Amino acid sequence: YEQHASELFSLLCREAGKNWLDAVGEVREAVDFIRYYGHEMMARPDAEGRGVITCISPWNFPLAIFTGQVTAALAAGNAVLAKPAEQTPHIACYAAKLLHKAGVPVEVLQLVYGDWEVGSWLCSYPAVDTVLFTGSNAAAKHIQASLLNRDCLQSPALLIAETGGHNAMVVDSSALLEQVVGDALESAFGSAGQRCSALRVLCVQEDIADSLIALLKAAMQELQVGDPEFISTDLGPLIDRDAWQAVNTHIENMNANGFPVFRAERVDPCVAGHFVAPALIELQHMNELQQEVFGPVLHVLRFK
């Protein structure tokens, strides 16, 4: 991976819309996974695998999570059927070729391409003993149901799923506001907000809320949205039109329902694609946010 880092950077930029900073971080994370699970494998040479593992990885970390799932399963002594997200197949293909070249037998690591129906079939396949999944809550529930509906004569399959949620940062009046702004921008808008670990709700003590929001809005105006191949770009595009539509619909609905909505304006007019300018939306209550918004949208909630 390290020897072919430049190729991986380019693939992450072109296929997943990562800017250069995010691409570098993802390759480093993938390498960390390989080193970690390689070390674990050497420390436990007698570990016995479960058998065949289906690994279903997402498009938002198409190298790091793909690599983490696959190398964990291999290191534990399993054969792997890996299904990458349909939006990012080339990254997974290149990564698998590097793993094969490094000595992983082709018979033990095989890629299967396709949409959610292919993933569903892989989960219901009788030979599969375990499913590793990263994605939405709804998809994880569907996989869980598929595994539960398998032939009762089979041993139950294990499901390990990482899904979404509303990540919060709580800020009281003792906080250094400039540090909060830097951390909030990096967490909420890194990878254009397309991370399950991204900050979604900023809970701010009302004594400092006005000052912090003013600083956040000014800092958001400095973020450049555009072609991820340019080093000056802070936010690249959303992964596809469906993602773009979902985020824009949420912002428009919140604005139509009277929520204060602020949108940054530095979008490169020379590029076409699924770009969304960073948005800040003020809430009155947490229950006004009913589902995860997978994009560059930061919600602010004041507390006494």
Side-chain angles (χ1 to χ4, degrees):
Y1 274 31
E2 290 177 332
Q3 289 171 4
H4 296 273
S6 59
E7 294 96 319
L8 292 169
F9 295 156
S10 181
L11 277 169
L12 287 163
C13 179
R14 291 173 179 270
E15 188 171 54
K18 301 267 183 176
N19 66 20
W20 289 106
L21 184 64
D22 289 332
V24 170
E26 179 152 2
V27 172
R28 291 179 65 184
E29 183 178 357
V31 169
D32 285 345
F33 275 130
I34 293 172
R35 287 206 170 107
Y36 174 78
Y37 289 120
H39 181 270
E40 288 292 296
M41 179 177 64
M42 294 178 70
R44 305 178 187 182
D46 299 325
E48 293 186 8
R50 290 178 57 86
V52 179
I53 291 186
T54 289
C55 295
I56 301 177
S57 52
W59 50 260
N60 63 329
F61 283 94
L63 180 67
I65 294 180
F66 170 86
T67 301
Q69 289 182 346
V70 167
T71 54
L74 291 173
N78 301 282
V80 175
L81 294 170
K83 195 203 85 65
E86 58 187 297
Q87 296 93 333
T88 52
H90 294 94
I91 295 168
C93 179
Y94 192 80
K97 286 180 178 179
L98 291 178
L99 291 169
H100 289 146
K101 186 178 179 181
V104 176
V106 175
E107 297 84 358
V108 180
L109 169 58
Q110 299 191 15
L111 263 61
V112 182
Y113 300 107
D115 58 11
W116 67 271
E117 291 182 336
V118 174
S120 180
W121 183 87
L122 284 173
C123 293
S124 61
Y125 187 62
V128 170
D129 300 282
T130 303
V131 175
L132 303 185
F133 171 78
T134 300
S136 70
N137 291 320
K141 290 289 186 183
H142 178 78
I143 293 171
Q144 184 182 42
S146 296
L147 296 178
L148 291 173
N149 289 332
R150 296 201 329 179
D151 190 333
C152 61
L153 297 177
Q154 294 177 241
S155 59
L158 177 67
L159 171 62
I160 302 172
E162 177 197 3
T163 60
H166 294 306
N167 304 307
M169 179 191 294
V170 180
V171 182
D172 69 15
S173 60
S174 70
L176 179 63
L177 298 190
E178 291 82 358
Q179 182 178 357
V180 174
V181 170
D183 290 345
L185 260 64
E186 180 178 353
S187 184
F189 304 129
S191 299
Q194 298 175 114
R195 297 176 179 170
C196 55
S197 58
L199 173 61
R200 304 292 182 204
V201 184
L202 184 64
C203 304
V204 185
Q205 189 173 330
E206 62 183 16
D207 308 63
I208 59 168
D210 288 339
S211 299
L212 179 56
I213 290 170
L215 286 174
L216 277 169
K217 289 178 178 179
M220 287 169 62
Q221 291 284 44
E222 298 300 314
L223 297 176
Q224 178 67 54
V225 180
D227 189 336
E229 290 194 348
F230 295 125
I231 197 70
S232 58
T233 296
D234 297 299
L235 285 79
L238 269 62
I239 191 64
D240 56 25
R241 181 169 181 80
D242 288 343
W244 177 88
Q245 187 65 59
V247 172
N248 273 304
T249 297
H250 171 75
I251 296 171
E252 290 167 3
N253 287 343
M254 297 297 278
N255 189 47
N257 287 316
F259 293 90
V261 175
F262 171 80
R263 303 197 70 175
E265 300 170 352
R266 289 188 62 189
V267 180
D268 187 345
C270 298
V271 297
H274 307 117
F275 297 96
V276 175
L280 185 151
I281 302 175
E282 294 189 54
L283 304 174
Q284 295 295 319
H285 304 283
M286 186 63 195
N287 60 12
E288 294 164 346
L289 193 57
Q290 291 296 311
Q291 59 188 12
E292 185 180 20
V293 182
F294 214 68
V297 182
L298 177 60
H299 304 86
V300 178
L301 183 63
R302 300 170 189 244
F303 66 88
K304 293 186 183 296

